Amino acid sequence: MAKERSGADDPARTLELLWREPGHDGPRRGPKQGLTVDGVVEAAVELADSGGLDALTMRSVAQRLGVTPMTLYTYVPGKAELLDLMLDAAYLRMPRTDQQGAPWRTRVEAVARENRDLYRRHPWVATLPTTRPALGPGLMAKYEHELAAFDGLGLDDVEMDAALTFLLGFVHSVARADLDTQATARDSALSDAQWWAANAPLLARVFDPARFPLAARVGNAAGAAHQGMYSPEHAFDFGLRRVLDGLAHLVASRSPSRA
């Protein structure tokens, strides 16, 4: 089965749907009067939020809306287009912090946290590859807002885009790790702490701390601090500081007074 992804459909048809004019929201006749493309997208987002992309099919969306799948296809041609519409809607609705006049690190950190909040509201967004994203109004508004965090720092246009990509890549990686941690706990029916408690006796028998002194010392310290192998909160906070520190070197090289 092909992996779900954004931009897997007919780009021309998707762009028509993404940039549709107000009042031109699909057929107005049929078994369900008043059904709109926006309504279809909203129902699909609700399904994906509650059950992930595995729960999302054209049939399940149609059932949620009380129409037949054939009726649904008159509004959205297929699942690939629907995924693009869902992703763009999520981008469009993102709360955007007004950081005008704030220091650049504050602005960039706000962008990181806005994206992390997006993944928490809509976990399926983090699982959806976007190597060829549909260029809808939501994506463009998001891109415009986020680039502003790097504007005026002396970076050229390519560097601004690369800096934003670097930041968002970090946030996405932590979000995916967070989802994997949640899935492991859910599938095993054990929290990290419970899993370690259950396996501690076996580990004590097979692990020799004298052979692996650094692993024993550091692993014990990290496990005690995080109450498990991994803490998404710590990974995000620690990593974000390092990302900002790295970007600070680039900014300082372009304009020392802004470091």
Side-chain angles (χ1 to χ4, degrees):
M1 179 178 177
K3 192 173 185 179
E4 306 285 10
R5 66 175 56 249
S6 175
D9 51 317
D10 175 7
R13 179 61 178 129
T14 299
L15 286 173
E16 286 182 6
L17 286 167
L18 288 168
W19 292 94
R20 61 193 180 280
E21 294 294 330
H24 297 276
D25 210 14
R28 299 203 176 266
R29 296 186 300 274
K32 183 75 172 180
Q33 294 291 334
L35 189 63
T36 65
V37 174
D38 286 339
V40 172
V41 172
E42 186 66 29
V45 168
E46 290 173 357
L47 279 169
D49 285 349
S50 60
L53 293 182
D54 288 342
L56 182 70
T57 64
M58 296 297 280
R59 181 174 295 278
S60 66
V61 176
Q63 290 174 343
R64 190 177 188 89
L65 292 168
V67 301
T68 66
M70 289 306 297
T71 298
L72 195 63
Y73 281 112
T74 65
Y75 291 85
V76 180
K79 187 174 180 180
E81 291 86 356
L82 181 57
L83 287 170
D84 284 331
L85 289 165
M86 291 165 59
L87 188 61
D88 203 70
Y91 288 160
L92 194 60
R93 297 170 187 172
M94 286 178 67
R96 311 194 202 282
T97 308
D98 182 5
Q99 294 291 343
Q100 188 172 5
W104 76 264
R105 287 181 72 117
T106 301
R107 301 198 306 264
V108 173
E109 180 174 346
V111 169
R113 295 192 180 278
E114 288 164 3
N115 278 272
R116 193 183 191 206
D117 289 345
L118 169 71
Y119 293 136
R120 288 179 162 178
R121 284 192 304 275
H122 308 295
W124 53 272
V125 173
T127 70
L128 195 61
T130 56
T131 51
R132 293 181 179 177
L135 303 179
L139 175 61
M140 299 312 297
K142 180 178 185 291
Y143 188 48
E144 179 78 13
H145 166 73
E146 292 170 352
L147 285 174
F150 298 91
D151 196 24
L153 299 182
L155 307 182
D156 65 34
D157 290 349
V158 174
E159 288 173 331
M160 286 175 61
D161 178 82
L164 176 58
T165 300
F166 176 51
L167 175 72
L168 298 185
F170 158 72
V171 179
H172 181 261
S173 68
V174 174
R176 287 300 304 265
D178 194 0
L179 288 176
D180 290 343
T181 301
Q182 294 175 33
T184 298
R186 184 174 59 251
D187 294 343
S188 67
L190 294 172
S191 67
D192 269 3
Q194 292 170 328
W195 187 91
W196 279 106
N199 288 276
L202 173 60
L203 184 61
R205 290 199 304 270
V206 301
F207 181 73
D208 180 5
R211 185 181 177 188
F212 307 105
L214 280 177
R217 190 188 80 217
V218 174
N220 284 335
H226 305 324
Q227 295 299 300
M229 282 190 65
Y230 178 76
S231 166
E233 290 296 333
H234 182 269
F236 180 80
D237 291 338
F238 180 88
L240 180 57
R241 289 195 297 272
R242 303 295 78 79
V243 169
L244 292 171
D245 290 345
L247 290 172
H249 285 285
L250 176 63
V251 172
S253 71
R254 298 298 182 268
S255 179
S257 65
R258 297 183 183 277

